[in-house]
Amino acid sequence: MTHLMNTYARLPVAFAHGEGVWLTDEAGNRYLDALAGIAVSTLGHAHPRLAEAICAQAKKVLHTSNLYRIPAQEALAERLCALSAMEEVFFANSGAEANEGAIKLARLYGHRRGIARPKIVVMEQAFHGRTLAALSATGNVKAQQGFEPLVEGFVRVPFGDLTALTAALADSDVVAVLFEVIQGEGGIRLAAPEVVRAIREITAARGVLMMCDEVQCGVGRTGHWFGWQWAAAALGVAPEALAPDVMTLAKGLGSGVPLGALLARGPAAGVFGPGNHGSTFGGNPLACVAGLTTLAVIEEEGLLANAAARGAQLKNALQQAFADLPAVQEVRGEGLMIGVVLDRPCGALVRTALEEARLLINVTAERVIRLLPPLVISEAETEEIAARLVPLVRRFVRGGE
C-alpha cells in the first residue's frame, strides 16, 4: 500500500545506487540506463566531480532566496550566455516552469506593443510541460483532456509546416513562435534545419519572438550545446544566424539536481523587470553549482563529441540490425537522442526490457522507443544497448512478446 498520489504508472523496481550509465536495484541487479531519467542524468550516476561539488556546496549554504545576490547563479548565467549568445537568464526549477516564464515574457512583450490579447504559435505534437499554460501550449490532446478550460492565446500549426506557420503569422496579435527543434515527447521528431532557418527569418522580419524549447534536446544531447546550434551546423552557417530570442532549458542542466532556465536576447531581453516574475527555489546555490559543474564536465571531458560519436554509433547499429524488419519503420534522431519507430504501439516493451534485459528505455508517442543515455556512455556500453534491445524488438514484432 502506498500513500503516493496515483499520478504515475510506476514500474516495479527501486534503484539503490548507480555509477556512470549503470543502476543497481535494491536486490543487487544491475541495469543499463538508456534513458537517463528522461534526458536528465547528463553525467550519468554518481559522477565523482558532481557529487563532490554538491557535497561541498551543501556544507556551505543551500538556500538564501532571490532576495539576495547568489554568486553561483551569476556565474552560471554568464556561462550559459557565453555558450548561447543569449543576454540574460532567469532560473527556475523545471522545464515546465521555464516554459511558463517564456509564455509570460511573450505576453508582456506583446502588451508593451499595444496588443491586448497576444497569441503564441505552437506546434502539433509538441510537449512543453504540465502546468496549465504549458499544458495549453502542448500539442497533445490526450494530456489536456479533463483540464479544460485551457489557457487561451495559442495558435497551433503542424510541426514543420511553413505554409501554415506563415498563415498563422498573418494575425497581427501573434507575438511569438514556440517550438522544439527536436520534439522529444512527440516521438524524437526533428525539425528540418531549413525550417528552423525559415522560422528565424520570418519571425525576425515580423517582429515576432522565436522561442526554442530546449528542455529535452538542449545541454549537449545532440552533440551540440543546443538544438538550434545543431541545425546551424547542419546548414553550415554560424550558430548566431539561428539564435532564438528566447530559449528554455531544464532536464540535463543540473544533471539530476532540479534546475530550469529561461534565457532571452535581442528584443526579448529586458522585458521582465522586478516583480514581473519570480521563483522561491529557482537558481539556489546548490542547483547552480550543479549546473556549473555539469557544463564544466561536458566541456572538459569532451562530452559533446562523445554524444555525437556514440549517437551515430547507436543509430547506425540499430539501423543495420533492423534493416530486414519492416515493422521498424525508422531509426531517427541526433546525438544521444534516438527514436526507433515501430508500426504498432510498443509500450509493453518498456517492462520487458526492464525485466528481461535489465535495460532502461521509454516509449513515447505510443510507438517510438526513446533512447536518451547519459552523455558519458562509452563505446562498449553503446554497443551493449543495441545488443540488449535488438532481440527484444525482433521478438516483439514477431508476436512473441
Side-chain angles (χ1 to χ4, degrees), residues 66 70 72-78 80 88-94 97-98 249 253 259-263 277-284 287-288 291:
N66 282 299
I70 300 174
Q73 189 181 102
E74 295 169 2
L76 181 57
E78 181 180 355
L80 286 171
E88 57 183 27
V89 186
F90 170 86
F91 287 105
N93 303 293
S94 68
E97 197 181 335
L249 302 171
L253 181 55
L259 178 60
L262 163 65
L263 295 87
H277 199 45
S279 172
T280 295
F281 296 106
N284 75 19
C288 289

Side-chain angles (χ1 to χ4, degrees), residues 203-379:
T203 52
R206 302 197 178 187
V208 169
L209 300 179
M210 171 174 157
M211 307 203 301
C212 285
D213 177 344
E214 295 267 346
V215 168
Q216 190 165 140
C217 68
V219 196
R221 187 143 292 277
T222 64
H224 298 266
W225 284 109
F226 311 108
W228 54 269
Q229 292 176 342
W230 158 76
L235 291 168
V237 302
E240 293 76 15
L242 298 190
D245 303 306
V246 175
M247 176 172 75
T248 55
L249 302 171
K251 289 191 178 292
L253 181 55
S255 199
V257 177
L259 178 60
L262 163 65
L263 295 87
R265 65 183 284 274
V271 171
F272 277 159
N276 288 140
H277 199 45
S279 172
T280 295
F281 296 106
N284 75 19
L286 183 75
C288 289
V289 163
L292 280 166
T293 306
T294 297
L295 298 180
V297 172
I298 289 175
E299 189 169 58
E300 293 165 19
E301 295 189 4
L303 298 185
L304 295 183
N306 193 60
R310 300 287 73 80
Q313 176 193 347
L314 182 56
K315 191 162 78 170
N316 291 338
L318 295 175
Q319 287 172 333
Q320 292 179 19
F322 295 135
D324 65 333
L325 211 59
V328 176
Q329 297 182 326
E330 185 181 8
V331 179
R332 64 193 180 202
E334 191 63 35
L336 288 171
M337 189 173 186
I338 294 175
V340 181
V341 186
L342 270 60
D343 65 353
R344 67 201 72 183
C346 57
L349 270 172
V350 174
R351 184 157 182 164
T352 304
L354 175 81
E355 295 180 343
E356 297 186 16
R358 306 289 189 212
L359 176 66
L360 305 185
I361 62 171
N362 175 251
V363 166
T364 188
E366 293 193 342
R367 56 187 187 88
V368 181
I369 301 168
R370 179 166 50 172
L371 303 172
L372 304 163
L375 270 55
V376 295
I377 194 167
S378 70
E379 183 175 353

